[in-house]
Amino acid sequence: MLRTVRISVAILCFTLISLLFLDFTGTLHAWFGWLAKIQFLPALLALNIGVVLALVAITLLFGRIYCSVICPLGVFQDIIAWFGKRRKKYRYTYSPALSWLRYGVLVVFVIAILVGAGSFVALLAPYSSFGRIMSNLFMPLYQWINNGFAYLAERMQSYAFYEVDIWVKGLSTFLVASVTFIVLVILAWRNGRTYCNTICPVGTILGFVAKYSFLKPVIDVSVCNNCGVCARQCKASCIDSKEHKIDYSRCVACMDCLNNCRHGAIKYARRSSVANKGKSPVVTQAQIDNARRSFLSVSALLATNAVIEAQEKKVDGGLAVIVDKKIPNRTTRLTPPGSLSIRDFAKHCTACQLCVTVCPNQVLRPSGKLMTLMQPEMSYERGYCRPECTKCSEVCPAGAIHPISVEEKSSVQIGHAVWIKENCVVLTDGVSCGNCARHCPVGAIQMVPFDPKNPDSPKVPVVNVERCIGCGACENLCPARPFSAIYVEGHEIHKTV
């Protein structure tokens, strides 16, 4: 019964969290966004002390329920392990804990958080790893299916679906997500929860707490006949059936052992409440086949081609080729409104890609730079940050982007526009433009004569940097190619205009 309840709740949480990363409309976040905010590391970085204490209290009561129910990466490994179990039922064996590796990784992880090494933190954080896998590998497939429905609906005069662009938001993040996915699949297929009990820093922290949990699986030695079935089906490899011991720091409270024990020798209860009449006599049994060798070679890893490029128009009215815009060389990178400053943003961001997923204007994308690898940054080649949109601030679970209202966003200055005379079509092509001034939502750009002494000279833009909020409308809508004649330079600390 306990196992059934655990699996049902885990599947529900896993499905809803997965949909948070797949839902490009942002609709589900209003209902289920709290599931992202109760993840351990985002709650810790956001200083949601209530959530952190609640998760610790749950662990003290029930063991590592978080790892088997709430954590989407843990449930994902359980799903892979279930498929592997169908290949061979009794495939696990007890193995001693690699404590030196677990606590070593945890120490390095904590140091990385303290010094602000966000890229390293993002590599190990379980929730962030799951987010990258979903948004980089599975979301393109989800969007491709959506576009198929949109195509069919359009033929039936229905607009229940609409097409969306499918594009690689960040090559480095896509490669990291692919490698993470492959490694997790191999580890979970072969050894169950190896990642959770050797690498995952959150698992190590909760494992230390779980050693003192009130309720836990307990072996009744007066009933156990040393058959070893529990150990051979334990995906955490934490049951030593010969010594009748369970390593509770690695037990993820999956309840599989309760269900698999044919004699009812394992109970989920207080350790002192189970009769323990001393060691039962050692029963000789056939040698367990623990010499399994892995023939799965890294060279045979799947060549992941999960990103499907949607075919885009490359001509304007069938006459002229449209050249894609290139990212300008910004001295200071742009972070979303609500992030307060570049330093504060990097300190709290876990690179889970949730804000990238919900950005409707395709402004946010993962950084490819080493120091900020996989953390979102803003760029305006495909759209601009509309003043009425606050979706990224609504979904961030780690406090990297603080919630702001539409009114507040219109007054937050994340950067300012800079005009590049050499790129402006007014001077290079001798045409009248003014696109940047017409579309500036705050009226920070005016067109003035290039030669102040000649009122009839071509009009060029002048930027009021005190009024500009850095939304990027001017950069995005500038007709100059491949580099815009006006671009946004970021601010280290955001200002209020």
Side-chain angles (χ1 to χ4, degrees):
M1 180 62 182
L2 288 175
R3 181 174 179 270
T4 302
V5 172
R6 195 271 305 173
I7 292 176
S8 300
V9 178
I11 291 175
L12 179 62
C13 290
F14 177 79
T15 303
L16 293 177
I17 294 175
S18 298
L19 289 175
L20 290 181
F21 289 98
L22 299 178
D23 178 32
F24 50 82
T25 66
T27 305
L28 291 177
H29 290 275
W31 298 92
F32 305 113
W34 58 271
L35 283 170
K37 296 180 180 180
I38 64 171
Q39 302 299 318
F40 188 87
L41 185 61
L44 184 64
L45 294 178
L47 298 179
N48 290 334
I49 304 301
V51 173
V52 175
L53 291 179
L55 293 176
V56 172
I58 290 173
T59 306
L60 280 173
L61 285 174
F62 306 110
R64 286 173 59 180
I65 290 293
Y66 171 87
C67 299
S68 59
V69 175
I70 301 175
C71 178
L73 193 69
V75 180
F76 171 75
Q77 292 175 79
D78 283 348
I79 294 172
I80 300 300
W82 182 80
F83 282 105
K85 184 178 179 180
R86 296 173 66 88
R87 177 181 60 88
K88 188 173 183 180
K89 189 173 182 180
Y90 300 110
R91 59 199 183 95
Y92 302 123
T93 184
Y94 171 77
S95 60
L98 297 176
S99 299
W100 63 272
L101 178 59
R102 298 171 67 191
Y103 291 106
V105 171
L106 177 60
V107 169
V108 175
F109 183 78
V110 172
I111 293 174
I113 293 178
L114 295 177
V115 302
S119 299
F120 185 79
V121 172
L123 282 174
L124 295 179
Y127 170 73
S128 301
S129 297
F130 179 79
R132 287 192 297 273
I133 290 172
M134 295 305 298
S135 60
N136 286 276
L137 304 185
F138 288 93
M139 189 176 183
L141 177 61
Y142 182 82
Q143 291 176 322
W144 181 79
I145 294 173
N146 170 83
N147 289 352
F149 280 116
Y151 176 83
L152 296 175
E154 184 180 357
R155 298 300 180 272
M156 295 185 289
Q157 303 300 314
S158 171
Y159 296 94
F161 299 89
Y162 61 90
E163 288 191 6
V164 294
D165 290 339
I166 306 173
W167 55 293
V168 181
K169 297 180 177 65
L171 180 60
S172 58
T173 305
F174 172 77
L175 293 175
V176 170
S178 301
V179 172
T180 303
F181 175 76
I182 293 171
V183 169
L184 286 174
V185 168
I186 293 175
L187 291 177
W189 182 277
R190 293 178 52 207
N191 301 313
R193 287 296 192 108
T194 300
Y195 174 83
C196 297
N197 288 331
T198 55
I199 302 297
C200 178
V202 175
T204 302
I205 294 173
L206 296 181
F208 178 80
V209 177
K211 290 192 293 185
Y212 308 99
S213 62
F214 182 72
L215 297 174
K216 58 187 72 175
V218 181
I219 301 176
D220 187 346
V221 296
S222 64
V223 179
C224 178
N225 67 346
N226 281 23
C227 68
V229 171
C230 56
R232 285 180 285 169
Q233 294 197 36
C234 177
K235 54 179 171 280
S237 299
C238 65
I239 301 178
D240 186 351
S241 58
K242 292 182 178 180
E243 298 294 330
H244 302 101
K245 293 181 180 179
I246 298 177
D247 183 353
Y248 295 110
S249 71
R250 291 186 290 159
C251 175
V252 294
C254 66
M255 312 300 175
D256 285 353
C257 53
L258 277 70
N259 193 65
N260 294 328
C261 183
R262 304 185 184 96
H263 305 283
I266 303 181
K267 298 178 176 63
Y268 185 63
R270 288 183 300 163
R271 190 169 187 177
S272 59
S273 67
V274 178
N276 191 344
K277 299 179 181 178
K279 283 190 177 182
S280 59
V282 178
V283 179
T284 304
Q285 54 182 313
Q287 183 179 5
I288 299 173
D289 181 18
N290 56 0
R292 298 183 186 127
R293 299 176 182 268
S294 171
F295 297 103
L296 202 58
S297 173
V298 176
S299 60
L301 294 178
L302 299 174
T304 306
N305 293 317
V307 176
I308 306 168
E309 288 288 349
Q311 185 177 6
E312 300 175 331
K313 286 188 175 182
K314 293 296 180 182
V315 295
D316 183 7
L319 299 176
V321 175
I322 298 177
V323 179
D324 289 335
K325 283 198 174 188
K326 293 184 178 180
I327 301 175
N329 185 21
R330 308 182 204 274
T331 304
T332 306
R333 73 189 187 108
L334 291 161
T335 58
S339 56
L340 304 183
S341 67
I342 292 179
R343 181 178 180 181
D344 189 78
F345 181 74
K347 183 178 178 181
H348 291 87
C349 180
T350 63
C352 71
Q353 312 297 312
L354 196 54
C355 58
V356 177
T357 298
V358 301
C359 179
N361 307 309
Q362 301 180 344
V363 169
L364 288 173
R365 63 198 65 180
S367 171
K369 299 176 182 177
L370 181 61
M371 296 304 297
T372 58
L373 186 66
M374 299 181 293
Q375 290 188 351
E377 62 181 8
M378 304 177 73
S379 201
Y380 302 125
E381 290 70 53
R382 305 180 71 92
Y384 65 93
C385 191
R386 297 182 180 272
E388 71 276 8
C389 175
T390 59
K391 286 189 177 296
C392 59
S393 72
E394 295 169 4
V395 304
C396 179
I401 309 175
H402 296 270
I404 58 173
S405 64
V406 173
E407 294 76 18
E408 290 172 330
K409 181 178 179 180
S410 299
S411 63
V412 174
Q413 187 182 57
I414 64 173
H416 65 274
V418 178
W419 179 58
I420 306 298
K421 178 179 70 174
E422 292 78 9
N423 296 344
C424 188
V425 296
V426 173
L427 302 179
T428 59
D429 298 349
V431 297
S432 178
C433 183
N435 246 18
C436 51
R438 279 196 304 273
H439 294 95
C440 179
V442 294
I445 302 176
Q446 292 183 339
M447 302 299 292
V448 300
F450 179 66
D451 184 358
K453 298 180 182 179
N454 181 11
D456 296 328
S457 63
K459 292 186 176 183
V460 296
V462 171
V463 181
N464 182 349
V465 296
E466 297 298 325
R467 195 169 184 177
C468 176
I469 61 174
C471 69
C474 54
E475 179 180 330
N476 173 249
L477 298 170
C478 177
R481 297 291 192 277
F483 292 101
S484 294
I486 191 166
Y487 79 99
V488 179
E489 190 63 58
H491 287 170
E492 287 280 351
I493 301 175
H494 294 180
K495 304 176 184 179
T496 303
V497 296

